[in-house]
Amino acid sequence: MRVQAAIWGVVTLFVAATIAATASLVARGERDAVRESEAKAERFVSGAEAALNRTLLGVDVLLAGIDSLLRPAVRPDGSLNAPHANQLLLDLTSRHLLVRDVAVLADDGSVLAAAQPNSQRMGVDLPKGFAADVLAQSAPQLAISAPVVNFATSERVLYFARPLRLASGRSVLVVGEVPASLLATILSQAIEIRGLVVTFEREDGQLLTSVPPDERLMGQKLSPPLDLRQATGVSQRAPGRLGAAPAIVVSRPTLYRSVMIAASIPLDAALAEWRRERGDILKVAAAFIAMFMAAGGFIQWQMARLGGARSEVARAKATLDQALEAMADGFLLCDADDRVVAWNRRYLEIFPWLRDVIGVGVPFQTLAGAIAPALLPEGNEEERRAWLERRMAIHASGNGMYEQELAHGMVVHAIERRTPDGGVVSVTRDITAAERALARAKAAAEAANESKSQFLAAMSHEIRTPLNGVLGMNGLLLNTPLTPEQRRYAELIRSSGQTLLTVINDILDLAKIEAGRMELEIVEFDPSATLDEVVSLLSVRAQAKGLAMNLKMPHDVPRALRGDPSRLRQVLFNLIGNALKFTEQGNVDIEVSHRPLPEERVEMTIAVRDTGIGIAPDAMPKLFDRFMQADATTARRYGGTGLGLAISREIVDLMGGRIEVDSAVGVGSTFRVIVPMVRGDAERLSAAESTLHAGADMGGLRILVAEDNGVNQILIKAILDQMGHYSDIVGNGIEAVQQVQSTHYDLVLMDIQMPEMDGEAATRAIRSLTDGVASIPIIAMTANAMVEHREAYLASGMDDYVSKPINAKALAAAIARATSRNTV
């Protein structure tokens, strides 16, 4: 019974204290709400008065300066040049955002000059008697009219006026038109105060404007008018200026004593939020009283259950401990202060070095510090400190994971997560078997990738070698007299061979991209020449389809840039070739633009527009995927592997640029290549091109060709004969080494895969000779097209590289480069 009496005695005290505190809060809340509204109104009026004073003073200064402004428009006879004066006033109002119109009126009210054409034609509709009152002033000062409706704009305006004497001595009235809405905007100051009403009044109570606006009262006299003696900026209790409800009223005069500003906040609005708070306070107080009453009964019931709860907690803890001990993973729990709370047996089996260190309350950093020497037994102090910092950073994140190989060979994976109270729970798992399986899978994948690269290299060589003979002999055949039917057949052979070569090149490029071996060869080049070359080569295809192809290139395109022209040319061939392929009628336009970037760089933009079939919106996301085309019918109708755009995007990404696409079905597509490049040396490029052209034009070189394939021997000799060179043929590397020692040659074209001695071994043997033979230019000529092969050829001592199928133009350029370097 004593416990029960004590419980209810305490409940009674709490209820009484709640009632007293509630009454005090309600009374103080009402006082604070009124004081806060009074302070808001006083601050608002002070700020509004300052803003309005600046506005009125600005208008007054503007009107007072009209005399000086109009002096250039006064004729010698004293009359006013109206057109000139109108323009001067219009220029003035265009610079003044508040005053919409300024007019100069004669004493009879006629307009002598005005900024707005409506005022010039129709006059200024001033309130009755306003002009006479202003002109009758004994001392000139600013006057403000009652609100009137402007007949031209149907908007309420105020007219600010001053009497003025022009330079000619003539007395006039200067009037400035100010929209009432603009003054209201100045008065509002973009401040949100609940229930606030702002009025701009004359001393006789006439309302000039208000916020919010009240069209019914605009121009009416408010009763009673504001008392100038009480317009001190201090709040008073009075009826609201636009209503009779009790309000907090604050008024202040402006610099022009005839007008005043007042702010009214109705008491209902000032106390609205407090009344809601009062209701909340009463609800909370009632809730507390109910809670105290309920608490008294609950405590009695709870006391009976407390004993049973204690035993239940003990059983729950024992169950949790058993669960932790049964876990196959290591478990560690730290509190918000990063101190150990609990762990299980498996955790110590994984980290046996902690058996003598771990304990409740031990900082986690102590555990990590004890593990570091065991994990890095051969490491120095700096290495252990670095490991400890990384481990603590992962642990502090509360959302991390890490893997670690322990000193006894076990590999563990730990996941750490933050608990709701700020602690960290860590679960550590033995992944030794999984790690070893992953290593074996990684090795198998790398071996498979290497096998794929070797297969592609071998297939490239085996396909390019006969294809070199086919395309080369076909080119020689086309240079002979043929009947129209024979020439058409030969051109079809060339087209099919070129298509096969494109497929092979795309597959090789794809293999390079997947292996991460795609590289750029950065050289100086002329972008205009590169674009002209691509367009010229593809113009034949455009003419065959009856399409117009236009290249629009500005005259100020940089003369020299540093980049990979061959890869850029490949991208343009793909994009322009696609535009021609998918356009049946109309035109294909190539437009070039550029813009400067910092650090002597230029952003080149090449847009390819066509009037073709377009691309559906649902096909856009997969447009650049490998082996994908816009839809299933595209490949059947137009052909293609679906690799061109994928490879083009990879190349442009490698250049640090991007490809953008705009398209509409049935209208056409626009592909934009945007690539940043470094500016090159135009003079050095011109000198190199001059040397190259000079070397390409010269004939009569004596060239040794090392080639084991009989068809290719005939082909290469024929190509060299057409260039005007003399050539000898040998079938392997041994014969090539012997031949250069017995006869003087200007150049060696060296095949790579030959019997008895391959091209690389032969090159190294020649470079080891004496008597000047070692410096003879050697050009690799092979069907191997992978990047690493080219690097190996240059490393063996070769000067340049041409791939099969042999392109006569590329071969001539390589010969020119090699011979020009040899003569420098």
Side-chain angles (χ1 to χ4, degrees):
M1 293 297 292
R2 291 180 180 178
V3 173
Q4 184 177 358
I7 291 173
W8 288 107
V10 172
V11 168
T12 302
L13 289 176
F14 273 114
V15 169
T18 301
I19 294 173
T22 301
S24 175
L25 283 173
V26 168
R28 187 172 61 184
E30 181 176 2
R31 290 195 303 271
D32 291 346
V34 172
R35 288 172 183 169
E36 183 180 358
S37 295
E38 290 174 346
K40 286 182 179 179
E42 291 171 1
R43 288 196 300 271
F44 179 86
V45 168
S46 177
E49 180 214 352
L52 191 59
N53 281 336
R54 288 194 297 271
T55 302
L56 297 176
L57 188 59
V59 175
D60 195 9
V61 170
L62 180 143
L63 297 180
I66 296 298
D67 179 26
S68 300
L69 177 72
L70 294 181
R71 285 179 183 176
V74 177
R75 296 191 179 97
D77 60 357
S79 63
L80 195 63
N81 184 341
H84 191 184
N86 293 341
Q87 185 60 46
L88 293 174
L89 293 176
L90 180 61
D91 293 342
L92 176 64
T93 57
S94 66
R95 296 191 301 272
H96 201 290
L97 300 179
L98 183 65
V99 179
R100 187 167 61 192
D101 191 12
V102 175
V104 180
L105 308 181
D107 52 7
D108 60 356
S110 61
V111 176
L112 300 177
Q116 298 297 329
N118 288 331
S119 301
Q120 298 166 15
R121 295 193 308 270
M122 305 173 65
V124 180
D125 187 18
L126 297 175
K128 184 177 180 180
F130 177 69
D133 292 343
V134 176
L135 291 172
Q137 292 177 355
S138 58
Q141 59 183 335
L142 182 70
I144 304 174
S145 75
V148 296
V149 177
N150 186 307
F151 55 80
T153 63
S154 300
E155 181 182 9
R156 286 190 179 271
V157 298
L158 300 177
Y159 288 104
F160 290 66
R162 285 185 64 95
L164 194 67
R165 184 177 297 277
L166 296 178
S168 62
R170 184 177 184 179
S171 296
V172 295
L173 180 66
V174 181
V175 178
E177 177 187 314
V178 177
S181 60
L182 291 182
L183 282 177
T185 301
I186 294 172
L187 292 176
S188 66
Q189 304 184 79
I191 297 177
E192 293 288 340
I193 300 178
R194 181 189 297 273
L196 177 69
V197 175
V198 186
T199 58
F200 181 43
E201 311 174 24
R202 291 177 184 267
E203 59 186 353
D204 60 357
Q206 186 178 48
L207 179 63
L208 301 181
T209 187
S210 66
V211 179
D214 191 332
E215 293 290 337
R216 297 178 297 103
L217 298 177
M218 196 78 73
Q220 302 295 318
K221 290 187 177 181
L222 305 179
S223 180
L226 293 172
D227 188 346
L228 185 61
R229 292 169 300 177
Q230 296 180 353
T232 60
V234 178
S235 61
Q236 302 176 19
R237 299 288 181 88
R241 294 305 295 162
L242 298 185
I248 299 169
V249 180
V250 181
S251 61
R252 290 179 68 98
T254 66
L255 289 175
Y256 300 86
R257 311 293 288 184
S258 61
V259 290
M260 290 183 284
I261 181 174
S264 305
I265 301 178
L267 284 176
D268 286 341
L271 296 175
E273 186 172 353
W274 167 79
R275 285 169 180 165
R276 286 195 297 272
E277 293 178 356
R278 181 183 63 184
D280 294 339
I281 291 173
L282 294 176
K283 291 177 183 177
V284 170
F288 269 108
I289 292 174
M291 181 182 67
F292 292 146
M293 299 297 291
F298 177 75
I299 291 173
Q300 290 187 81
W301 173 71
Q302 190 66 19
M303 294 293 290
R305 295 190 58 196
L306 183 60
R310 288 174 178 169
S311 59
E312 185 69 25
V313 168
R315 286 195 297 271
K317 185 178 183 305
T319 302
L320 178 61
D321 290 341
Q322 292 173 3
L324 292 179
E325 289 301 314
M327 286 180 62
D329 299 331
F331 174 85
L332 178 71
L333 175 63
C334 296
D335 60 17
D337 296 326
D338 211 19
R339 295 180 178 275
V340 174
V341 175
W343 67 95
N344 66 354
R345 176 178 50 80
R346 181 57 177 160
Y347 186 78
L348 293 181
E349 291 176 354
I350 295 174
F351 303 106
W353 313 280
L354 300 180
R355 294 185 186 277
D356 298 331
V357 179
I358 198 168
V360 175
V362 174
F364 178 82
Q365 187 168 3
T366 302
L367 302 185
I371 292 176
L375 296 183
L376 303 171
E378 299 180 359
N380 54 38
E381 188 63 28
E382 184 177 351
E383 291 173 341
R384 293 173 180 173
R385 188 183 304 111
W387 179 89
L388 180 60
E389 291 176 356
R390 290 194 301 272
R391 181 67 187 91
M392 292 304 298
I394 296 173
H395 181 76
S397 70
N399 189 27
M401 60 179 63
Y402 78 99
E403 292 184 2
Q404 179 73 49
E405 182 175 357
L406 307 182
H408 52 277
M410 180 186 295
V411 179
V412 296
H413 176 80
I415 298 177
E416 295 180 321
R417 293 291 183 268
R418 186 77 63 187
T419 61
D421 63 353
V424 176
V425 60
S426 175
V427 177
T428 306
R429 175 169 297 175
D430 179 5
I431 61 166
T432 307
E435 188 70 17
R436 290 171 181 168
L438 180 62
R440 289 193 297 271
K442 181 174 180 287
E446 290 175 349
N449 190 55
E450 182 63 27
S451 298
K452 182 184 70 174
S453 297
Q454 293 175 0
F455 170 76
L456 286 173
M459 290 304 298
S460 168
H461 181 273
E462 295 304 320
I463 294 174
R464 284 172 178 270
T465 297
L467 190 58
N468 179 53
V470 172
L471 291 178
M473 289 300 182
N474 178 258
L476 295 177
L477 181 61
L478 286 170
N479 289 332
T480 63
L482 298 172
T483 66
E485 184 177 16
Q486 290 172 333
R487 182 166 297 278
R488 185 167 67 88
Y489 292 162
E491 288 175 348
L492 287 174
I493 294 173
R494 179 178 62 182
S495 175
S496 299
Q498 291 291 350
T499 301
L500 177 59
L501 181 60
T502 300
V503 172
I504 295 171
N505 288 337
D506 284 348
I507 293 174
L508 286 174
D509 284 340
L510 180 61
K512 295 173 189 176
I513 291 169
E514 290 181 342
R517 297 176 180 174
M518 173 72 80
E519 296 180 359
L520 299 178
E521 183 180 2
I522 305 301
V523 297
E524 287 181 322
F525 73 101
D526 182 352
S528 299
T530 300
L531 284 161
D532 284 335
E533 178 186 355
V534 173
V535 172
S536 297
L537 289 173
L538 291 174
S539 61
V540 177
R541 192 186 306 177
Q543 292 172 3
K545 294 189 68 173
L547 301 175
M549 187 161 66
N550 306 305
L551 174 61
K552 301 175 184 177
M553 190 167 357
H555 67 279
D556 59 345
V557 170
R559 174 71 178 82
L561 294 175
R562 289 187 57 78
D564 190 332
S566 63
R567 288 299 182 185
L568 179 61
R569 193 180 296 112
Q570 180 180 353
V571 172
L572 295 178
F573 267 115
N574 276 329
L575 297 183
I576 301 174
N578 279 351
L580 292 173
K581 179 194 298 185
F582 297 114
T583 303
E584 297 300 332
Q585 58 183 3
N587 55 281
V588 174
D589 296 325
I590 301 95
E591 185 173 351
V592 182
S593 61
H594 65 92
R595 68 180 183 92
L597 296 176
E599 301 177 355
E600 286 297 311
R601 296 188 304 143
V602 176
E603 184 181 79
M604 295 291 297
T605 300
I606 305 170
V608 179
R609 298 185 179 88
D610 63 59
T611 56
I613 61 175
I615 304 167
D618 58 351
M620 282 292 189
K622 60 183 180 181
L623 188 62
F624 291 94
D625 291 349
R626 299 166 186 173
F627 303 106
M628 295 295 293
Q629 293 189 335
D631 57 52
T633 62
T634 300
R636 293 196 299 268
R637 181 177 178 186
Y638 296 98
T641 61
L643 288 176
L645 287 180
I647 293 172
S648 296
R649 185 177 66 175
E650 296 286 352
I651 292 173
V652 173
D653 287 347
L654 195 60
M655 292 178 174
R658 64 188 186 277
I659 297 181
E660 298 176 351
V661 186
D662 296 322
S663 185
V665 176
V667 177
S669 304
T670 300
F671 285 77
R672 277 180 294 274
V673 178
I674 304 169
V675 181
M677 293 184 183
V678 179
R679 291 182 183 273
D681 188 335
E683 294 183 1
R684 184 167 58 189
L685 178 62
S686 297
E689 288 178 348
S690 299
T691 302
L692 185 61
H693 291 321
D697 292 338
M698 70 179 180
L701 297 178
R702 190 166 189 84
I703 298 175
L704 176 64
V705 178
E707 169 65 61
D708 64 316
N709 185 280
V711 175
N712 287 339
Q713 289 177 351
I714 298 171
L715 170 62
I716 296 167
K717 182 171 179 58
I719 293 175
L720 294 176
D721 289 346
Q722 290 181 354
M723 292 180 184
H725 300 305
Y726 304 99
S727 59
D728 294 329
I729 308 294
V730 294
N732 57 57
I734 295 175
E735 294 177 3
V737 176
Q738 295 172 349
Q739 193 71 17
V740 296
Q741 295 180 80
S742 61
T743 307
H744 171 73
Y745 289 100
D746 300 305
L747 180 77
V748 176
L749 295 179
M750 184 74 73
D751 187 25
I752 298 299
Q753 294 189 10
M754 294 184 294
E756 299 186 40
M757 178 184 285
D758 62 26
E760 291 183 68
T763 299
R764 286 191 289 270
I766 293 173
R767 294 303 184 214
S768 65
L769 299 175
T770 57
D771 299 331
V773 177
S775 62
I776 185 172
I778 302 176
I779 298 175
M781 184 177 59
T782 178
N784 290 331
M786 303 297 277
V787 174
E788 58 271 22
H789 294 149
R790 177 179 182 179
E791 294 173 350
Y793 304 153
L794 298 179
S796 68
M798 297 182 181
D799 297 278
D800 214 324
Y801 167 98
V802 291
S803 62
K804 295 177 182 178
I806 298 295
N807 179 282
K809 184 176 179 180
L811 178 60
I815 292 174
R817 287 193 298 268
T819 54
S820 63
R821 283 196 295 267
N822 195 50
T823 56
V824 173

